[in-house]
Amino acid sequence: MTTAAERLEEVKADIRKAEAGYGRKEGAVTLIAVSKTFEAEDIRPVLEAGQRVFGENRVQEAMKKWPGLREDFRNIELHLIGPLQSNKAKEAVATFDVIHTVDRSKIAKALKEEMEKQGRELPCFIQVNTGEEPQKAGIAPAQVDAFVRECREEVGLNVIGLMCIPPFDEAPGEHFALLEKIAVRNGLEQLSMGMSSDYETAVGFGATHVRVGSAIFGSRDYT
């Protein structure tokens, strides 16, 4: 039975192979190890193996796990990849280093206000609902251009890229291609896309960040 550290190395090797196969520069893709629902003791072996970039879905969960881990390991970069409520903006800015899920004006303004209060400027991704699924967070593709301008010019957020989660039952490639097209149109160079089942495909469509959880940590127990 493989360990999380061994699976981490397998994922990293797959990413390097995909980079080479798709003509990407080696190291062009940042691996975000998604540690949501896993305890600190599950994360430590992955940190000990050298991984420093992690993703969490919930602000409260991250606040419990990561302060102690940050004391023991240096240079950790923590990404918020789950939905954010405006009343958690203060904690999010204090806890995370990058925000992937900006999807409405209220959130953008709350984040900017907290960044100014705390003296931090966090890079942000705009979440795009490429499948226009009603149950899923994110800006509709047709509204992205205007929202990016608002976040940059009116709110003053440091918007560095776009993020998406394709529909579960559709081929991810078409959604990755759409996200890349929107990003190019808006002069955004960063693309957060691709998870455990499709991160190699995402590399081929220009992903700069892939969010891989179960392929590293194993299946999750949501009970």
Side-chain angles (χ1 to χ4, degrees):
M1 191 172 178
T2 57
T3 66
E6 289 169 337
R7 292 190 293 269
L8 170 69
E9 291 306 314
E10 291 173 1
V11 170
K12 288 164 66 175
D14 287 342
I15 291 171
R16 288 194 296 269
K17 184 178 178 181
E19 286 173 336
Y22 287 113
R24 304 282 304 278
K25 182 180 178 181
E26 183 176 346
V29 181
T30 296
L31 169 61
I32 302 173
V34 179
S35 48
K36 67 177 184 178
T37 78
F38 289 95
E39 302 295 334
E41 57 263 31
D42 300 314
I43 301 169
R44 283 182 180 275
V46 179
L47 281 159
E48 289 165 356
Q51 179 67 18
R52 288 295 180 270
V53 184
F54 290 84
E56 290 282 348
N57 265 41
R58 299 178 183 275
V59 176
Q60 294 297 114
E61 182 183 343
M63 289 172 67
K64 292 177 183 176
K65 293 191 297 195
W66 284 97
L69 292 170
R70 284 188 188 270
E71 288 181 9
D72 296 339
F73 297 91
R74 305 183 73 173
N75 302 319
I76 288 172
E77 185 176 285
L78 196 57
H79 294 237
L80 177 62
I81 60 170
L84 177 62
Q85 301 298 321
S86 57
N87 63 356
K88 291 288 190 292
K90 178 179 179 180
E91 292 88 349
V93 170
T95 304
F96 290 91
D97 303 297
V98 184
I99 308 290
H100 285 241
T101 52
V102 180
D103 66 351
R104 56 196 186 279
S105 298
K106 187 176 181 181
I107 290 294
K109 292 172 182 175
L111 286 169
K112 181 61 176 180
E113 183 178 338
E114 282 301 331
M115 289 181 202
E116 290 179 345
K117 286 180 181 177
Q118 297 182 35
R120 304 192 75 200
E121 185 181 26
L122 275 59
C124 294
F125 289 77
I126 303 298
Q127 182 172 354
V128 182
N129 188 345
T130 54
E132 301 193 58
E133 298 172 276
Q135 79 281 11
K136 191 175 286 183
I139 293 283
Q143 299 171 354
V144 175
D145 296 4
F147 187 61
V148 168
R149 282 196 303 272
E150 178 187 349
C151 288
R152 283 171 155 174
E153 298 172 12
E154 297 177 27
V155 180
L157 275 188
N158 179 22
V159 178
I160 63 168
L162 304 178
M163 177 268 223
C164 77
I165 305 171
F168 178 75
D169 58 351
E170 294 184 19
E174 61 187 80
H175 295 274
F176 297 155
L178 174 60
L179 198 73
E180 182 183 33
K181 181 179 179 181
I182 298 170
V184 168
R185 192 166 69 221
N186 285 279
L188 294 169
E189 297 182 353
Q190 307 289 310
L191 291 170
S192 171
M193 58 189 194
M195 298 186 288
S196 288
S197 62
D198 55 24
Y199 63 90
E200 292 162 284
T201 299
V203 172
F205 285 94
T208 58
H209 296 72
V210 294
R211 310 179 304 272
V212 181
S214 57
I216 296 171
F217 290 100
S219 58
R220 292 186 174 85
D221 181 3
Y222 287 103
T223 58

